[in-house]
Amino acid sequence: MKYVSTRGSAPVLSFEEAMLTGLARDGGLYVPETIPTMTPADIAALAGQPYEEVAFRVMKPFIGDAFTDEEFSDIIARAYAGFDHAARAPMVQLGANHFLLELFHGPTLAFKDFAMQLIGQMFEAALKRRGDRVTIVGATSGDTGSAAIEAFRGLDAVDVFILFPDGRVSEVQRRQMTTPDDANVHALALHGDFDDCQARLKDMFNHFEFRDGVKLAGVNSINWARVLAQVVYYFTSATALGAPHREVSFTVPTGNFGDIFAGYIAKRMGLPIKRLVIATNQNDILHRTMLSGAYTKAGVSPSISPSMDIQVSSNFERALFDAYGRDGAAVAQQMQDLQAGGGFTISQGAIDRLRELFDSGRASEEETTATIRAMYESTGEIMCPHTAVAVKVAQEHLAGDVPMITLSTAHPAKFPDAVEAAIGIRPGLPKHMADLYERPERMRQVANDLTAIETLIKEQIAT
Ligand SMILES: *Cc1c(COP(=O)(O)O)cnc(C)c1O
């Protein structure tokens, strides 16, 4: 299995190389050269299997010969051993044909653990074999950073630096990043917003001297291995509800388009997904794009679902690449327009192709709060604000006999203020992190300045 860049002019890589590289050298994102498919019989055989077994069968064709079958099984087993639910991704029912897929049973209480725990184990196995080490730098709107730190803390072959927007993540998110005391963990509070963090990260990848000097590796949702890990729960949930004999739809709370893009891959692999619904908060660039065909940046306004407070949705580039018939030059042109003029217009053919599968909607702050309250009253479920955004949008897209599966992306205790404001109940942290508020914090402030960030990273890995 080979991986190509969405901008068409970076080297073609193996799975392992694409995983260790992150962003392609032409600024693009790696995608598989071809998407392997599963037959209806293959898919039917997944029903009722343990999560780890489904993970192995779904991901194996994408990894080529990066790991032997035995190594890959061990990697998967270790990745999900720290989850606190035997099903890993259990479902609960919200209404007649509406289901919630709980993706918050990992160590940092958000769906990002599914990908990050797996990637941590894969990096360790690959780097050990190579006798190599890397510097991982990630940008986070909150949940990626804690998930990355939890996945890489204490590993010998990796230093991990996380850039987060100072003052714009929840206290639980911040403490999850600043309280691990492992020497290889570095939490950096950047003076800016998430888009600044993401932009500086991209700058570092495009600064080849620094990139090669520190052996920079990326684990943001642009990393193909992360998208791949997220494909698995589309299969476990859909087959639990009758796929491949019955179609299902999904609604996904979306920021960087990584989680929902995994659903698109599942569809391309043969899973009978009828609609994939993009749910955004008030930072609704994706919803506006689907309506108008024009992708136009606007400022970020902080919301109660902060992990979706972004205006540049990196993984959307992967969807565009396919919508443009895999024309890397066309994608590169659009990204250049975005950089230069703050936006681009998608061709009619490409937007039509996107609309064949994707629907979209948005939830305002008030609608998000009202949904948390309504769901608590009608089902007893306490949900995080990101999940509530998706539930609100999903309700507008329920369609008769096709089950709707809404992705629940974080535990409500990660966002206790928003939940308490809605229902007057402050959700408690699970046992394993009950003392989070007492642990000492460790972080460094850094300016929104490439040179300052690079200097700090070089100093830290030298000591
Ligand atoms: C990251 C995150 C999202 C958005 O996921 P993307 O893959 O970036 O679209 C939604 N909800 C929560 C809780 C998150 O942490």
Side-chain angles (χ1 to χ4, degrees):
M1 172 65 65
K2 291 289 173 201
Y3 288 81
V4 299
S5 164
T6 49
R7 300 193 194 173
S9 55
V12 173
L13 300 182
S14 69
F15 173 79
E16 182 172 316
E17 291 164 333
M19 173 182 82
L20 293 172
T21 301
L23 194 65
R25 286 180 105 86
D26 59 2
L29 279 58
Y30 277 104
V31 289
E33 202 163 40
T34 54
I35 307 287
T37 54
M38 295 177 83
T39 64
D42 294 337
I43 295 170
L46 301 176
Q49 294 295 321
Y51 189 88
E52 285 80 351
E53 177 63 26
V54 177
F56 183 91
R57 293 192 205 171
V58 169
M59 293 191 286
K60 179 67 188 165
F62 289 91
I63 69 161
D65 56 6
F67 304 106
T68 65
D69 284 2
E70 200 186 337
E71 280 173 325
F72 195 44
S73 295
D74 287 348
I75 284 170
I76 293 170
R78 280 197 297 273
Y80 300 116
F83 280 53
D84 71 2
H85 196 296
R88 309 310 183 214
M91 273 194 289
V92 298
Q93 194 162 359
L94 294 182
N97 220 0
H98 190 185
F99 298 83
L100 200 61
L101 177 59
E102 292 185 352
L103 301 175
F104 52 71
H105 293 280
T108 70
L109 313 181
F111 82 92
K112 294 189 171 75
D113 288 324
F114 277 92
M116 212 60 87
Q117 286 292 322
L118 185 81
I119 239 191
Q121 297 301 327
M122 291 200 294
F123 264 67
E124 185 174 54
L127 290 170
K128 261 191 193 157
R129 188 191 318 128
R130 292 169 168 231
D132 208 352
R133 61 175 296 117
V134 296
T135 303
I136 287 173
V137 185
T140 187
S141 53
D143 294 328
T144 299
S146 50
I149 285 171
E150 202 55 49
F152 289 95
R153 62 187 291 188
L155 299 186
D156 293 329
V158 176
D159 275 292
V160 55
F161 292 84
I162 297 299
L163 294 168
F164 68 90
D166 192 24
R168 298 202 191 198
V169 298
S170 81
E171 184 175 2
V172 174
Q173 289 176 319
R174 190 191 71 237
R175 286 181 170 274
Q176 284 182 331
M177 293 188 276
T178 58
T179 57
D181 55 5
D182 308 77
N184 71 329
V185 165
H186 311 271
L188 308 181
L190 182 133
H191 300 152
D193 60 25
F194 171 64
D195 286 323
D196 294 322
C197 294
Q198 188 159 258
R200 295 298 80 73
L201 179 67
K202 282 193 179 163
D203 292 344
M204 276 179 252
F205 273 96
N206 289 323
H207 182 193
F208 293 149
E209 192 191 327
F210 174 79
R211 175 174 180 166
D212 296 338
V214 303
K215 296 194 179 164
L216 194 61
V219 295
N220 264 85
S221 62
I222 52 171
N223 192 306
W224 167 258
R226 279 192 53 192
V227 174
L228 178 59
Q230 294 168 184
V231 175
V232 175
Y233 44 71
Y234 286 89
F235 279 90
T236 57
S237 57
T239 52
L241 294 180
H245 314 296
R246 181 157 83 143
E247 288 187 302
V248 298
S249 292
F250 288 90
T251 302
V252 186
T254 305
N256 234 339
F257 209 77
D259 212 3
I260 194 163
F261 189 75
Y264 166 82
I265 295 294
K267 163 93 180 178
R268 292 277 314 271
M269 289 178 74
L271 191 66
I273 297 175
K274 180 144 184 137
R275 308 299 297 163
L276 276 172
V277 185
I278 299 163
T280 74
N281 66 21
Q282 62 191 2
N283 296 297
D284 59 354
I285 186 165
L286 288 168
H287 177 50
R288 285 185 282 112
T289 301
M290 291 305 294
L291 291 180
S292 70
Y295 185 102
T296 316
K297 278 204 272 185
V300 176
S301 32
S303 77
I304 56 172
S305 45
S307 301
M308 309 199 295
D309 286 348
I310 72 172
Q311 282 298 4
V312 176
S313 187
S314 299
N315 274 295
F316 190 62
E317 180 169 340
R318 289 190 158 112
L320 272 183
F321 182 58
D322 278 5
Y324 274 102
R326 305 212 130 198
D327 179 351
V331 173
Q333 183 58 54
Q334 301 243 282
M335 294 302 140
Q336 217 170 317
D337 294 348
L338 178 64
Q339 188 106 31
F344 56 84
T345 302
I346 302 172
S347 75
Q348 193 59 48
I351 193 76
D352 287 347
R353 219 159 290 151
L354 290 168
R355 286 174 182 153
E356 280 168 21
L357 178 60
F358 293 103
D359 283 319
S360 68
R362 91 194 278 277
S364 69
E365 296 289 273
E366 297 72 31
E367 288 164 335
T368 305
T369 300
T371 303
I372 295 174
R373 191 177 306 127
M375 282 296 122
Y376 180 62
E377 281 165 7
S378 65
T379 68
E381 288 295 323
I382 298 180
M383 56 186 58
C384 93
H386 308 77
T387 304
V389 164
V391 166
K392 185 264 176 186
V393 173
Q395 285 172 325
E396 296 163 354
H397 289 85
L398 293 175
D401 52 350
V402 181
M404 176 64 81
I405 301 171
T406 295
L407 272 54
S408 178
T409 49
H411 191 288
K414 267 198 124 159
F415 304 94
D417 297 337
V419 174
E420 187 173 17
I423 59 173
I425 295 171
R426 196 163 182 86
L429 287 165
K431 263 202 309 281
H432 65 94
M433 51 177 71
D435 67 342
L436 186 66
Y437 289 94
E438 278 95 63
R439 298 179 201 164
E441 291 192 79
R442 213 168 44 108
M443 66 175 140
R444 273 163 202 281
Q445 306 279 330
V446 66
N448 179 20
D449 176 80
L450 182 63
T451 308
I453 300 167
E454 291 184 348
T455 304
L456 193 121
I457 290 174
K458 281 191 281 198
E459 282 167 10
Q460 291 294 310
I461 56 177
T463 57

